[in-house]
Amino acid sequence: MVRRHDRSPQEIRFDLNQKGLTFADVDRASGFRVGTTRDATRHPHAEGEQAIAEALGLRAKDIWPSRYDAKGNRLKPQPSQNYTDRPRLRHCLKEEAA
């Protein structure tokens, strides 16, 4: 099955937890500052993406297809929408009336 959308940070966290890992564990194993891999789930970070993919036993292009072209090469520069945060909680949507 080919995924056409990026995995959500929550899906990635769940997958890591299923393997007994946290983002901090992946950061330490890779020599990153704590929070690097967590941030890579929301914003492009080549090394963070690769570390998560290795921890999950997947390819980074399968986790974040929007960050890679059809041949599996990383897009440079990244599309601007990859730097935009999606709202996390429904009550934070200011456009909608309560």
Side-chain angles (χ1 to χ4, degrees):
M1 179 173 103
V2 176
R3 294 177 68 101
R4 300 257 182 236
H5 64 282
D6 293 353
R7 288 191 186 195
S8 71
Q10 294 81 11
E11 287 178 290
I12 296 168
R13 179 184 305 257
F14 178 81
D15 292 341
L16 285 172
N17 288 340
Q18 289 293 308
K19 294 191 176 276
L21 298 170
T22 64
F23 289 122
D25 293 333
V26 178
D27 287 332
R28 281 190 289 273
S30 303
F32 296 143
R33 163 188 73 77
V34 173
T36 300
T37 54
R38 183 186 64 235
D39 293 343
T41 64
R42 295 194 179 276
H43 303 289
H45 187 281
E47 292 84 10
E49 293 167 19
Q50 190 60 39
I52 291 169
E54 287 174 8
L56 294 177
L58 300 170
R59 296 179 300 185
K61 74 177 194 129
D62 296 331
I63 300 172
W64 296 280
S66 71
R67 301 179 189 182
Y68 294 82
D69 65 15
K71 294 180 181 177
N73 299 318
R74 191 164 163 72
L75 297 175
K76 291 183 185 178
Q78 288 287 309
S80 62
Q81 65 266 22
N82 286 347
Y83 292 97
T84 314
D85 243 349
R86 293 184 293 257
R88 295 183 187 136
L89 300 174
R90 187 143 183 88
H91 71 275
C92 293
L93 298 176
K94 296 179 182 176
E95 303 87 41
E96 295 181 16

